[in-house]
Amino acid sequence: MRVFPRAGRRTRITALTLLGCLPGAVAVLALVLSAQGADRSVAIHLAAPEPAGPTARHRAPRPHIVPRSAWLDASVRRTQPPPHYDDQVLAVFVHHTDSPNGYSCAQAPEIIRRLYTGQTGDRAWDDIGYNFLVDRCGTIYEGRAGGADRAVTGAHTQGFNHRTAGIAALGTFTAGVPVPRAMTDAIAAVAAWKLGLADVDPRGSARLVSSNGLSRYREGTTVALPAVAGHQDGYRTNCPGAALIARLPEIRTAAARLQGRLPKKPAAQTPTPSATESPPKAAKGFGRRAMPPASRRDTPEG
């Protein structure tokens, strides 16, 4: 159930509403596949790294990140196995937590604690799935254990948890819902920093391998996804919500600027083929299959 705030009352949030954005139809199966935070063996499913470019690396400063100890206490902490790691972070996935927006920023640690309780309790995951969480005031919180500076394998995007980081915006950002500027600035700062460690341009794409067929792509398929992607780019979901999806181009540009990258020049327009000309054949991708029908609405119970 979800309890929304009423006039004059403090926002109350129950654990079952804060399970993140995962369609209910596959929740049980996803519980098994994601409980350990790694879908498959890293050695089998990682694409070959891109060769290093001749230019200087683009690094962004590390933003201030509130540690896990600020929201995780002994009353809810569970025993968990050691974290899993990848060699680098090539992309970030942006999520929303599908929870009420009318919280005070002082309540953010409580919200994250309830997310953790729901994911490690009702879903039986070993830890919270997201690597980072951002509140409406732009405060960045460390999520999954293992070290914010390291390439920790999360449990945030079915099929694409390897070589990625999950950044969750606290709230629900469906069409028409305002997305605070402080929140998008914080998401951009995390993306710029994490991607800069591998010299990845946030405006570009990354070659990732689907680790299971519950994603949008068959297991083992290598695809090019945005370096700053929405959850729905890799999984059949409406997460992170239409309003936040609409802000992704702005987030990519801001992240690139934080890395010290120059603005991209406008692409030259391609002439429209005349009626007597045959349109060019579509270039083959990296084994990408046809996209499924329209995404299903996320359900609070995950």
Side-chain angles (χ1 to χ4, degrees):
M1 62 175 287
R2 175 181 296 170
V3 181
F4 291 97
R6 296 181 180 178
R9 295 187 179 182
R10 183 172 178 268
T11 302
R12 293 182 295 131
I13 304 160
T14 61
L16 290 180
T17 68
L18 295 174
L19 298 181
C21 37
L22 181 67
V26 296
V28 175
L29 185 55
L31 182 153
V32 176
L33 293 174
S34 298
Q36 298 304 318
D39 301 282
R40 295 290 191 276
S41 170
V42 177
I44 296 174
H45 287 275
L46 293 185
E50 296 289 344
T55 58
R57 299 176 67 87
H58 296 84
R59 297 284 182 107
R62 184 187 193 276
H64 176 69
I65 300 171
V66 178
R68 280 168 60 93
S69 58
W71 58 264
L72 184 59
D73 56 40
S75 66
V76 297
R77 183 185 294 108
R78 297 175 181 270
T79 302
Q80 62 189 63
H84 297 274
Y85 295 98
D86 291 303
D87 57 340
Q88 56 187 338
V89 172
L90 299 180
V92 299
F93 282 95
V94 178
H95 304 255
H96 68 177
T97 55
D98 200 19
S99 53
N101 295 332
Y103 59 89
S104 69
C105 292
Q107 289 178 288
E110 176 188 352
I111 295 172
I112 300 171
R113 186 161 50 248
R114 291 181 182 273
L115 275 166
Y116 170 87
T117 300
Q119 292 181 351
T120 59
D122 297 285
R123 290 186 182 178
W125 291 3
D126 59 354
D127 195 0
I128 192 169
Y130 311 114
N131 298 96
F132 303 95
L133 302 100
V134 177
D135 70 14
R136 59 197 302 267
C137 294
T139 304
I140 303 166
Y141 291 87
E142 177 187 13
R144 199 168 183 84
D149 296 319
R150 302 188 63 182
V152 179
T153 307
H156 51 83
T157 304
Q158 190 75 269
F160 292 102
N161 288 318
H162 292 299
R163 284 182 168 173
T164 67
I167 306 173
L170 295 181
T172 302
F173 298 100
T174 49
V177 176
V179 184
R181 174 65 181 272
M183 175 176 277
T184 58
D185 284 348
I187 293 172
V190 177
W193 168 58
K194 293 299 288 186
L195 295 177
L197 297 176
D199 201 22
V200 174
D201 189 334
R203 303 164 299 183
S205 61
R207 294 174 68 249
L208 302 173
V209 180
S210 174
S211 58
N212 67 65
L214 291 181
S215 74
R216 284 190 178 272
Y217 306 91
R218 290 187 296 271
E219 179 181 346
T221 303
T222 301
V223 294
L225 296 180
V228 177
H231 186 185
Q232 66 173 211
D233 287 312
Y235 191 71
R236 288 179 284 270
T237 176
N238 286 335
C239 181
L244 189 48
I245 290 170
R247 302 290 294 277
L248 290 182
E250 170 191 327
I251 290 171
R252 294 178 185 120
T253 299
R257 185 168 58 249
L258 288 171
Q259 289 184 349
R261 297 182 186 271
L262 297 175
K264 285 189 173 182
K265 296 180 179 180
Q269 294 185 351
T270 302
T272 303
S274 65
T276 58
E277 294 178 320
S278 298
K281 293 182 179 180
K284 293 182 179 180
F286 297 100
R288 179 173 179 171
R289 70 176 181 182
M291 298 296 280
S295 302
R296 293 170 290 182
R297 173 73 167 87
D298 295 331
T299 54
E301 57 269 30

